[in-house]
Amino acid sequence: MSNKKPVVVYGASGYTGRLVCEYLREYGIPFIAAGRSQEKLEEAMRAHVPGIETADHEVVQVEHSTDALTALFKGASVVLNTVGPFAKFGHEVVQACLAAGCHYTDTTGEQDWLITLDQEYGARFAKAGLLLSPGLAQMYTTGEIAAQLCLETPGLDTLDIAVFWGGSPTIASTQTILVNAATSKAFHLQGKQYVEWQPDAGLYQLAIPGQHEMALALPWGGTSHPVWFKRDPRVANVKVLGGVFNKPLMLGVPKIVEAALKATEGMNEADRYAALSQTAASVMNTMPPRENPRINKSVDSVHASGPLGRAHCVIYGNCNYKQTGLLQAFAANWLLQQPPLRAGFASGCQAFGHHALLGALRHFGLVQAPVLTVHV
């Protein structure tokens, strides 16, 4: 038996990484807090992970390369990756997991990254009996839980999904959102085929359950749901829109993306990424405060329809980054005790079951009981 701690949190000094460590501590799971800066990691653990003195953990600085990460991961069982943009930094981590024999999860919403993982790595992970589960996060998994609850009613083939939350994105999320919006297409699912969202459509207005005021939304890179449901025989069409309740922030997003696109036109990939990162830093360059459930609320709403039936599921919650941290820790806890329900490329619900994930979120007080109405 290896004496290596069984779970590695890569990117542990970031906002989400700290919360993953916090919930691993609550589950009593030994872990390695890894990243590129020993100083930042130690400071993050000391100042931002409550009760860290009672956690069985160690801090490890590691170079971001496949070889160095493979050496770190060997002997562990699960890698929880929070280092984005994942399309830029994810390949080395995934390759190292495969080489070291570790399950992989991440928190991405980058649709192009999910498609790449499915095409390039899914079969290899499945053959090795390992889970490859990107996008295990509130913005994707909680809405997927709502969708799966709707789909328990037979005969529904179309999903209309809305995801909203209160507060502001983190530094890393802002960078990932901007880079992804400026460099990748966004797709919805129509008749089992990927169809591109109109790039210049601007903001959409949505009616959000539980409030009278209309909210502003964007395709948000297409999200992970069209990818997850593309191979679901029940589902033919998936559209997802999302955003924050902060209207001024939402109004500014298309303008920021448009300006960034113009400013970086004609640049090579490296220069463009540097320029987009600088733009993202000008938008958000400080860590948001620890989430407050009275401010940081979340709403996941799914309308599912078919020729002769309809279902609507709403999940009200709070602290979307805490939800993400918990979902990651739950995955590690499961994988250390039993195999996933599906190996290879799989969503959180496909790997662990939507009722199990919902139970964890309810148990830790992060979501209300779903409000499900069905008409058939």
Side-chain angles (χ1 to χ4, degrees):
M1 292 290 290
S2 170
N3 60 2
K4 176 73 68 75
K5 289 180 170 45
V7 175
V8 179
V9 182
Y10 186 50
S13 63
Y15 191 93
T16 304
R18 302 168 185 176
L19 291 168
V20 175
C21 295
E22 183 175 331
Y23 282 107
L24 288 172
R25 171 197 167 272
E26 294 202 20
Y27 272 107
I29 297 173
F31 64 90
I32 294 171
R36 287 171 288 182
S37 169
Q38 185 85 11
E39 183 180 352
K40 287 182 179 179
L41 288 163
E42 291 177 351
E43 170 63 17
M45 294 300 104
R46 181 172 60 252
H48 299 288
V49 181
I52 190 63
E53 67 279 359
T54 65
D56 183 1
H57 78 291
E58 61 182 288
V59 172
V60 176
Q61 178 177 315
V62 62
E63 174 189 293
H64 186 81
S65 69
T66 301
D67 288 345
L69 291 169
T70 299
L72 174 63
F73 297 166
K74 279 186 177 177
S77 298
V78 183
V79 174
L80 311 176
N81 182 23
T82 68
V83 178
F86 294 89
K88 181 173 179 62
F89 295 112
H91 285 280
E92 294 87 349
V93 189
V94 172
Q95 291 164 3
C97 281
L98 196 57
C102 292
H103 299 290
Y104 172 94
T105 75
D106 70 32
T107 57
T108 190
E110 299 163 52
Q111 196 177 74
D112 58 334
W113 173 237
L114 270 86
I115 294 171
T116 296
L117 286 179
D118 186 17
Q119 294 174 345
E120 295 188 14
Y121 299 104
R124 295 160 67 186
F125 269 74
K127 184 177 180 180
L130 298 171
L131 177 64
L132 178 65
S133 188
L136 191 61
Q138 181 273 327
M139 193 173 173
Y140 319 104
T141 306
T142 309
E144 187 194 3
I145 293 169
Q148 294 287 356
L149 290 170
C150 288
L151 290 170
E152 289 179 356
T153 298
L156 308 181
D157 63 5
T158 298
L159 299 174
D160 177 5
I161 302 174
V163 182
F164 276 83
W165 67 98
S168 301
T170 64
I171 297 171
S173 294
T174 302
Q175 182 183 41
T176 299
I177 290 164
L178 183 58
V179 171
N180 187 245
T183 59
S184 303
K185 294 180 179 180
F187 299 100
H188 59 89
L189 197 64
Q190 184 175 316
K192 283 294 187 184
Q193 301 300 315
Y194 290 131
V195 177
E196 186 181 359
W197 282 93
Q198 184 179 334
D200 57 353
L203 293 160
Y204 295 78
Q205 285 196 327
L206 292 190
I208 301 299
Q211 68 179 48
H212 294 108
E213 187 178 0
M214 300 291 283
L216 299 177
L218 289 166
W220 226 257
T223 82
S224 61
H225 302 90
V227 183
W228 295 136
F229 286 105
K230 193 173 191 296
R231 295 183 183 173
D232 190 317
R234 301 169 296 178
V235 179
N237 312 296
V238 181
K239 279 190 174 182
V240 189
L241 289 166
V244 296
F245 293 118
N246 184 333
K247 278 195 171 182
L249 179 57
M250 287 302 298
L251 286 167
V253 171
K255 297 176 183 177
I256 294 167
V257 173
E258 183 181 2
L261 281 171
K262 287 182 179 178
T264 59
E265 192 174 1
M267 288 185 178
N268 62 44
E269 184 180 348
D271 290 343
R272 193 179 201 195
Y273 176 76
L276 290 170
S277 298
Q278 187 174 3
T279 301
S282 70
V283 176
M284 175 63 68
N285 59 8
T286 58
M287 283 286 189
R290 186 174 175 81
E291 289 172 306
N292 182 337
R294 300 180 67 186
I295 298 171
N296 302 101
K297 301 174 183 178
S298 66
V299 177
D300 292 86
S301 175
V302 178
H303 286 284
S305 60
L308 293 173
R310 290 186 172 274
H312 181 210
C313 184
V314 186
I315 300 179
Y316 297 101
N318 61 66
C319 302
N320 54 297
Y321 283 100
K322 283 188 177 181
Q323 289 182 48
T324 298
L326 171 60
L327 290 166
Q328 291 285 324
F330 174 88
N333 187 56
W334 177 298
L335 293 168
L336 292 178
Q337 298 179 71
Q338 60 182 334
L341 301 177
R342 181 189 300 182
F345 182 76
S347 71
C349 290
Q350 293 162 349
F352 309 112
H354 56 286
H355 285 288
L357 292 170
L358 176 62
L361 292 169
R362 296 274 293 134
H363 178 72
F364 281 86
L366 294 173
V367 302
Q368 293 181 349
V371 181
L372 178 63
T373 54
V374 178
H375 302 279
V376 292

